[in-house]
């Protein structure tokens, strides 16, 4: 997946008159374009893991926004945000389960927090919830 892919998806959503998909994809496209500019300034290219992280951040922002509208009793906005979240979910990679994370942690020689977190960040970026890794690690 790259910027061109998401632009094509947006065009398809516009043809289908799917406002939720268009809104969600606009956010992702804007964030990808910004990240691309930042990476190019450093002489780097945007990776698949970077794009996954961007989508995850967009999802997290929508969830927080939805919670705010839910507290205010704005159900029409909550429903719109739920539709946008559903669109984003189909672009997110499958995250590792708790059992998979626990098995990976147990297979590591060094189970210190910094070592484990570094391992997951280097090898599973965008494929694991780092909060969950931290919670599992502390409960072992």
């Amino acid at each position: 997946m790259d910027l061109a892919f998401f632009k094509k998806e947006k065009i398809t959503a516009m043809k289908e008159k799917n406002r939720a998909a268009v809104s969600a994809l606009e956010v992702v496209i804007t964030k990808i374009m910004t990240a691309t500019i930042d990476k190019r300034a450093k002489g780097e290219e945007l990776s698949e893991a970077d794009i996954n992280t961007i989508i995850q951040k967009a999802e997290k922002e929508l969830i927080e926004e939805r919670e705010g509208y839910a507290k205010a009793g704005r159900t029409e906005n909550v429903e719109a945000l739920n539709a946008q979240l559903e669109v984003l979910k189909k672009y997110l990679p499958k995250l590792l389960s708790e059992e998979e994370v626990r098995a990976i942690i147990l297979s590591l020689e060094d189970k210190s927090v910094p070592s484990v977190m570094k391992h997951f960040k280097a090898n599973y970026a965008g494929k694991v919830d780092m909060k969950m890794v931290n919670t599992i690690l502390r409960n072992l």
Side-chain angles (χ1 to χ4, degrees), residues 1-6 28 31-40 42-56 91 93 121-127:
M1 293 186 294
D2 60 355
L3 183 60
F5 170 80
F6 285 105
V28 171
K31 289 180 180 295
I32 290 173
M33 289 172 64
T34 304
T36 302
I37 292 168
D38 292 343
K39 287 281 188 172
R40 283 190 185 150
K42 297 175 187 173
E44 301 172 2
E45 289 294 318
L46 198 65
S47 68
E48 189 78 25
D50 293 328
I51 292 175
N52 287 338
T53 302
I54 289 168
I55 298 169
Q56 288 171 335
Y91 301 111
K121 196 167 195 168
N123 298 308
Y124 301 99
K127 296 177 184 168

Side-chain angles (χ1 to χ4, degrees), residues 44-80:
E44 301 172 2
E45 289 294 318
L46 198 65
S47 68
E48 189 78 25
D50 293 328
I51 292 175
N52 287 338
T53 302
I54 289 168
I55 298 169
Q56 288 171 335
K57 285 182 181 177
E59 178 189 39
K60 193 177 279 187
E61 289 170 3
L62 286 175
I63 290 170
E64 289 171 1
E65 190 176 347
R66 179 184 65 187
E67 289 170 359
Y69 281 124
K71 286 179 184 175
R74 308 264 320 259
T75 55
E76 69 281 353
N77 295 68
V78 171
E79 290 170 12

